[in-house]
Amino acid sequence: MGIFMILFTLLGGITLSAQSAINGTFSRKAGTIETTFLTFITGSMFLAIIILFFGQGDIFAIFNVPIWQLSAVFLGVLFLLFNVFAVPIIGVIATSITVIIGQLVSGVVIDHFGWFNSMIIPLDIRRWFALLFMIIALYYIYKGNKRSNEEANAQ
């Protein structure tokens, strides 16, 4: 089951990069906020159909959970909005690696302190090095994107 989850998550990452690229292009014509809205409204309609036929949970549980747990909805909207805005400016890979660094930084902090009822995993030297290498990768990717863009504009 673990391998299946890794492949499933890998597929999720692939779809996120494709979505970022498509939304970035779409936002040039429709606008950043409009593209984000259309993505969420279409996704909501798609999920409503899935819930109708396959849903097994309780959608009305939203009235019984702590307010802080509902913040995930707004965080998802901000994530997509920032992605749609960033992709046309810095490119898909720079946006993706920046998102990953943001996830890693917040993830190690959440793990270290055990926030949101998560497991406590102390921040150690290996995690610091992992973050450092990701930041170095972002630097080289961003510089390469910038150089490629300047070369393309010069021609």
Side-chain angles (χ1 to χ4, degrees), residues 52-73:
L52 183 64
F53 291 104
F54 302 106
Q56 297 175 0
D58 179 11
I59 197 149
F60 296 107
I62 64 170
F63 298 112
N64 300 322
V65 298
I67 295 289
W68 68 267
Q69 291 178 354
L70 298 176
S71 68
V73 174

Side-chain angles (χ1 to χ4, degrees), residues 16-143:
L16 267 178
S17 288
Q19 179 193 28
S20 294
I22 294 165
N23 277 342
T25 303
F26 183 46
S27 72
R28 291 182 186 135
K29 294 193 190 257
T32 302
I33 297 171
E34 294 80 2
T35 298
T36 305
F37 172 75
L38 289 170
T39 300
F40 270 97
I41 198 74
T42 304
S44 295
M45 290 187 298
F46 179 69
L47 284 173
I49 292 168
I50 290 174
I51 288 170
L52 183 64
F53 291 104
F54 302 106
Q56 297 175 0
D58 179 11
I59 197 149
F60 296 107
I62 64 170
F63 298 112
N64 300 322
V65 298
I67 295 289
W68 68 267
Q69 291 178 354
L70 298 176
S71 68
V73 174
F74 301 107
L75 295 174
V77 170
L78 288 175
F79 168 74
L80 184 60
L81 182 64
F82 294 156
N83 262 350
V84 171
F85 183 73
V87 166
I89 297 169
I90 64 173
V92 175
I93 188 64
T95 300
S96 296
I97 196 134
T98 304
V99 166
I100 292 167
I101 291 170
Q103 288 175 322
L104 289 174
V105 168
S106 64
V108 297
V109 170
I110 290 167
D111 281 353
H112 183 76
F113 293 106
W115 290 346
F116 311 116
N117 298 321
S118 67
M119 225 180 350
I120 295 176
I121 303 170
L123 179 58
D124 61 9
I125 193 71
R126 291 176 295 193
R127 289 177 171 227
W128 276 112
F129 275 117
L131 294 173
L132 176 65
F133 289 137
M134 292 296 291
I135 292 168
I136 292 168
L138 173 61
Y139 172 79
Y140 284 112
I141 287 169
Y142 178 75
K143 292 300 253 182

